[in-house]
Amino acid sequence: MTGPILRIAVPSPLHQIFDYLPPPGCDPATLPPGVRVRVPFGRRRVVGFLLEVGADTTFDSAALRPAEAVLDAEPALPAEALALLNWAQRYYHHPPGEVFATALPVLLRQGEPATAPRIPPLWQITPTGHAALADPAALRRAPAQRLLLEHLAQCPEGVEIEALRPVVHASTPTLRALQNKGWVALIAPLLQSEPVAAPVSPMQRLALNVAQTAAIAAVAAELDRFGVFLLEGVTGSGKTEVYLRLIETVLAQGRQALVLTPEIGLTPQLLARFRERLPGPLAVLHSGLSDRERLNAWLLARNGAARVIVGTRSAIFAPLQTPGLLIVDEEHDASFKQQDGFRYHARDLAVVRARQLGIPIVLGSATPALESINNAQTGRYRLLQLPERVGGGSPPLIEILDVRRQPLTEGLSLPLLARMRVHLARDEQVLLFLNRRGFAPVLFCHECGWLSQCRHCDARMTLHLRRQRLICHHCGDDRAIDPACPVCGSVDLRPLGQGTERLETALRREFPTVGIARMDRDSTRRRGSLETLLTEIHNGDCRLLIGTQMLAKGHHFPDVTLVGIVDADQGLYGVDFRSSERMAQLILQVAGRAGRADKPGTVLIQTHHPDHPLLRTLTSQGYPAFAEAALAERREALLPPFAHQALLRAEAVDSKRATAFLHAARALAEPIADGLELLGPAPAPMERRAGRYRAQLLLQAARRQDLHRFLDRWIGQLWAQRPDRAVRWALDVDPMELY
Ligand code: ADP
Ligand code: ZN
Ligand code: ZN
């Protein structure tokens, strides 16, 4: 008999929940799950989360330590958010402490009080207020009102009442008087200082088209129950408008909406559009926030002050007070999957969360993931289609450019260059897509064939000429560019292959009078540089756009009439079975940036494999036909979504130890692997990375429940075995990359 025990998720890589005695003087019966508890852990003191109060412990009860303090009166995590985390922990078999650490703002994990900031509303001048200011007669006899109005006219983003007191002593009655005339209004404040691209303008009501009306009606009819809606529509077909209308409906019911978008889809344009249209405070959660901003946005979501929460991957864990709708935009996007640590998929968790909450979820994309298309075909998701671009306009024409045996100027074929000239001569914009940043992916010696290998990885170092460095894109190591070949001493070192930097240099030579904008992670590193580039593109200063996948999402470039895909071959025969799906999605995403009704776009794809069947299907029949063919291949090969996978990854400085661990894991698996196929252990496709050798064991099952029944037993056994501490290992359930 040990009495009540606190079961606590403690930040640790161990695959277990820890038991503690209640802190002295605390009545555990009053403790709700989800409160934070400070506990001793080893020689440290850490903040953990109470998962439940139990009656007994499986540990040695004499050795149990008491918790030090309970940090919250109310649960930091509401029951709903706790339920999602518990589900995710069980499904992904990840150590509970790390699951909580990934999901929560860092300040909460450090013990910061979980009290939401106060958000005072802002006063803003209205259009009629501006008109009144322009009329000298209007406020002649109300100097205080005039003073305030003039002040507000200088502050288009609105002012807090506190800041108005120094302007006019009796600011409250003065504001009321102005408000009664309709010259000023209270607006919801921005919850965080995001750049706003467009001035806030009165809401415009567009007349919806037939497909939009049908899609909205389908979801709106089911707002009180769980349902997954796959909203498929090409770029510009009005998906965002559908989201906005549905969110308006949910807000009118007094409920909140959570919108997930890929990191690079979270553009100033998108946020400005949301702010312009939606009443009520909007919280934004993404990786660019400070810890304080993140905590504040999170707390405002939790206490319901934020009505709409827009965020990237980890925003799926944002607690909600009155959830009404979940939306995942660009649902196929790979950035929804976390690729290290706790490897969850935010889209998949969003579906689980909607089910737990009994609310609808909308997954939107021009190019849905094959998994989602399959779910729609089997009836698990409802398919809603927006088949046309708003305002008509034909979809871009896609052509394959066979570059075999063609002379290439820095990767560009003559026909592509000729077409670029035609479009530029017409004062239109041209976009070139190349998914490789830097100058060249490798530096090599023309004498002896030496390659700029990374010392820590089985990979080459990318040449960055502007920064004068060789940089490994896998481990981040960098060094000065070798002046001579380290093997033979020759100075004839040459860059091999193209990156965006090199493309830019070549194009400046080829088109000296045309403004060029390069958009990749290097050129947008500084804060505000992305906005500057976008402005230069939109006002026409730059007519030649070069970019990586950063260009492919979120932006609309209506004056772009020609899109060149510089190198489609990387994706066609990639090591991963998902490469062709990714490439198809990327091609269409890039294509979708271009054109408008009166200026349709053309897309030229350079390839050495013009007869690749999937590429042919994509260009001649479009994405649905491509998806059909790709799904048929997957079905044939018994690959996801027709099989379910988990990947056990291991890495160690010593390659033998990583493999030995996986052999032992396989030996444990074999007797219990009913309905499973075990593949490996095998070296990872890039075996050495950041100085560690990586190997993997793939587990595959035709039925999901077989896989999970197995994992439930196997992972426990693996931990119980006390594996080699020199080996780092992790399980990836539903891996999106097999290396
Ligand atoms: P998507 O999200 O599918 O790319 P958007 O919702 O952004 O499409 O719509 C593309 C453009 O068309 C936007 O400028 C939007 O304001 C406009 N739009 C959307 N729906 C309508 C409509 N029913 N009538 C007129 N314009 C519309
Ligand atoms: Zn050499
Ligand atoms: Zn490296």
Side-chain angles (χ1 to χ4, degrees):
M1 174 65 218
T2 41
I5 299 293
L6 309 187
R7 295 206 212 292
I8 293 183
V10 171
S12 115
L14 296 179
H15 203 269
Q16 68 183 68
I17 289 163
F18 292 85
D19 287 358
Y20 286 88
L21 300 171
C26 164
D27 174 10
T30 63
L31 286 183
V35 294
R36 290 172 300 158
V37 183
R38 192 183 295 285
V39 293
F41 190 67
R43 267 185 262 155
R44 296 178 300 143
R45 295 155 73 223
V46 299
V47 175
F49 280 84
L50 178 67
L51 297 182
E52 58 175 357
V53 179
D56 227 327
T57 182
T58 50
F59 293 85
D60 170 11
S61 57
L64 285 190
R65 296 157 85 182
E68 286 178 7
V70 175
L71 301 182
D72 300 303
E74 300 285 317
L77 272 173
E80 170 269 319
L82 205 56
L84 178 68
L85 283 178
N86 281 329
W87 189 94
Q89 194 278 320
R90 283 196 305 274
Y91 184 83
Y92 291 108
H93 296 275
H94 196 73
E98 286 193 354
V99 169
F100 279 76
T102 306
L104 289 158
V106 73
L107 291 180
L108 275 191
R109 289 184 265 134
Q110 292 169 354
E112 195 82 4
T115 38
R118 201 179 57 90
I119 38 162
L122 303 177
W123 289 96
Q124 195 181 45
I125 185 167
T126 61
T128 46
H130 276 294
L133 261 189
D135 174 6
L139 280 170
R140 193 171 299 141
R141 280 184 293 152
Q145 292 184 27
R146 175 152 204 108
L147 214 58
L148 262 191
L149 210 53
E150 278 171 353
H151 185 83
L152 288 175
Q154 304 299 315
C155 311
E157 282 171 17
V159 187
E160 268 182 50
I161 188 146
E162 284 305 318
L164 290 173
R165 290 199 208 289
V167 181
V168 170
H169 183 62
S171 48
T172 309
T174 315
L175 280 168
R176 291 272 171 256
L178 286 169
Q179 189 182 25
N180 289 339
K181 294 177 189 161
W183 294 352
V184 301
L186 266 181
I187 58 158
L190 309 185
L191 290 183
Q192 175 252 310
S193 52
E194 278 291 329
V196 177
V200 176
S201 69
M203 195 171 91
Q204 287 165 1
R205 282 258 155 211
L206 306 167
L208 298 170
N209 62 34
V210 176
Q212 284 174 317
T213 309
I216 292 166
V219 184
E222 312 267 325
L223 283 182
D224 290 316
R225 54 180 157 263
F226 168 63
V228 189
F229 298 88
L230 180 60
L231 181 64
E232 182 182 11
V234 296
T235 315
S237 62
K239 292 185 298 296
T240 311
E241 188 60 34
V242 170
Y243 303 153
L244 286 167
R245 296 288 176 115
L246 288 171
I247 296 171
E248 283 171 357
T249 310
V250 169
L251 294 182
Q253 297 179 338
R255 302 210 271 175
Q256 292 166 292
L258 171 64
V259 182
L260 299 185
T261 141
E263 186 80 49
I264 38 190
L266 192 51
T267 57
Q269 285 101 318
L270 180 85
L271 287 178
R273 204 159 149 204
F274 269 62
R275 290 211 163 103
E276 203 177 300
R277 282 285 301 278
L278 299 172
L282 177 88
V284 182
L285 282 163
H286 61 80
S287 61
L289 302 183
S290 70
D291 289 345
R292 177 63 56 189
E293 288 169 331
R294 167 165 286 270
L295 175 63
N296 284 347
W298 195 91
L299 291 170
L300 293 167
R302 191 186 71 173
N303 76 5
R307 308 311 299 165
V308 181
I309 295 89
V310 185
T312 50
R313 183 173 63 221
S314 69
I316 185 54
F317 300 112
L320 300 169
Q321 199 211 23
T322 48
L325 177 67
L326 302 185
I327 292 173
V328 182
D329 189 28
E330 311 281 10
E331 65 88 32
H332 65 278
D333 197 277
S335 75
F336 287 124
K337 177 74 196 280
Q338 175 139 318
Q339 295 290 15
D340 51 22
F342 173 30
R343 295 167 184 261
Y344 64 96
H345 199 305
R347 177 204 55 216
D348 295 350
L349 282 183
V351 172
V352 171
R353 191 171 184 189
R355 191 180 62 210
Q356 290 181 336
L357 292 168
I359 61 173
I361 173 168
V362 178
L363 308 177
S365 176
T367 52
L370 295 184
E371 281 84 355
S372 299
I373 292 180
N374 185 55
N375 278 328
Q377 287 173 350
T378 54
R380 274 192 292 269
Y381 295 177
R382 265 179 66 189
L383 184 62
L384 306 172
Q385 283 169 307
L386 303 181
E388 278 156 20
R389 283 191 168 193
V390 173
S394 37
L397 193 69
I398 306 185
E399 291 173 35
I400 296 180
L401 260 187
D402 179 0
V403 296
R404 284 174 300 183
R405 292 177 302 274
Q406 291 268 339
L408 295 175
T409 314
E410 305 283 6
L412 301 174
S413 65
L414 292 177
L416 176 56
L417 282 168
R419 296 281 279 275
M420 289 169 67
R421 275 197 197 91
V422 172
H423 287 255
L424 290 172
R426 287 201 301 243
D427 256 0
E428 293 163 357
Q429 289 180 322
V430 173
L431 187 161
L432 291 183
F433 174 78
L434 178 61
N435 214 6
R436 229 167 345 185
R437 63 197 173 88
F439 189 84
V442 58
L443 185 67
F444 95 111
C445 170
H446 196 55
E447 279 306 313
C448 75
W450 166 87
L451 297 168
S452 56
Q453 189 75 36
C454 173
R455 274 171 300 173
H456 314 288
C457 306
D458 291 334
R460 322 263 192 258
M461 295 186 95
T462 301
L463 176 64
H464 285 253
L465 263 196
R466 192 148 312 174
R467 284 202 267 163
Q468 285 290 307
R469 305 295 283 174
L470 287 167
I471 302 175
C472 173
H473 288 185
H474 300 282
C475 70
D477 189 29
D478 71 323
R479 61 168 205 255
I481 300 171
D482 307 80
C485 172
V487 175
C488 74
S490 161
V491 291
D492 190 1
L493 298 184
R494 302 182 182 186
L496 195 64
Q498 265 76 39
T500 46
E501 211 184 297
R502 186 174 201 174
L503 199 56
E504 181 188 0
T505 313
L507 290 169
R508 286 200 190 284
R509 232 180 295 129
E510 202 73 33
F511 301 97
T513 59
V514 179
I516 298 180
R518 171 165 64 95
M519 216 156 111
D520 56 29
R521 248 195 305 139
D522 300 315
S523 72
T524 55
R525 206 173 296 268
R526 268 185 308 115
R527 223 172 205 230
S529 48
L530 176 63
E531 287 72 25
T532 311
L533 271 178
L534 287 173
T535 310
E536 285 170 1
I537 295 170
H538 285 291
N539 65 19
D541 289 348
C542 293
R543 290 197 295 121
L544 200 41
L545 286 44
I546 310 165
T548 57
Q549 57 178 335
M550 193 174 253
L551 258 184
K553 283 165 209 160
H555 314 286
H556 186 54
F557 305 117
D559 291 324
V560 168
T561 52
L562 178 68
V563 172
I565 311 281
V566 177
D567 179 9
D569 294 345
Q570 288 170 291
L572 292 179
Y573 294 99
V575 276
D576 200 297
F577 72 86
R578 285 191 172 84
S579 322
S580 58
E581 178 188 357
R582 292 261 163 73
M583 181 46 80
Q585 289 164 344
L586 213 46
I587 288 175
L588 292 193
Q589 292 286 321
V590 181
R593 302 303 109 207
R596 58 183 182 210
D598 57 329
K599 284 187 187 173
T602 302
V603 181
L604 297 180
I605 303 175
Q606 295 199 136
T607 175
H608 288 88
H609 305 283
D611 299 319
H612 190 288
L614 288 179
L615 187 62
R616 284 244 157 253
T617 310
L618 180 71
T619 51
S620 60
Q621 299 171 56
Y623 189 78
F626 164 85
E628 205 54 55
L631 275 172
E633 281 189 3
R634 298 264 188 100
R635 189 191 301 271
E636 191 73 18
L638 275 182
L639 286 168
F642 305 102
H644 304 278
Q645 297 180 329
L647 191 66
L648 183 66
R649 293 189 169 84
E651 56 173 65
V653 175
D654 175 353
S655 71
K656 283 193 218 74
R657 293 174 89 155
T659 315
F661 165 75
L662 292 177
H663 277 294
R666 185 182 169 125
L668 276 180
E670 264 159 10
I672 54 172
D674 294 335
L676 260 68
E677 209 183 331
L678 308 179
L679 300 151
M686 184 181 23
E687 189 178 8
R688 202 167 62 105
R689 177 169 172 174
R692 303 175 73 91
Y693 287 88
R694 302 155 354 118
Q696 56 195 33
L697 175 65
L698 182 66
L699 313 148
Q700 183 166 307
R703 296 189 312 168
R704 200 186 281 281
Q705 65 265 38
D706 287 341
L707 178 63
H708 284 272
R709 198 178 312 115
F710 162 80
L711 290 176
D712 286 341
R713 290 180 66 187
W714 186 54
I715 295 299
Q717 294 184 5
L718 269 181
W719 276 102
Q721 241 208 149
R722 305 204 166 270
D724 186 349
R725 284 184 151 241
V727 178
R728 261 193 236 151
W729 59 276
L731 186 71
D732 189 351
V733 177
D734 306 328
M736 293 303 287
E737 280 177 3
L738 291 187
Y739 57 90

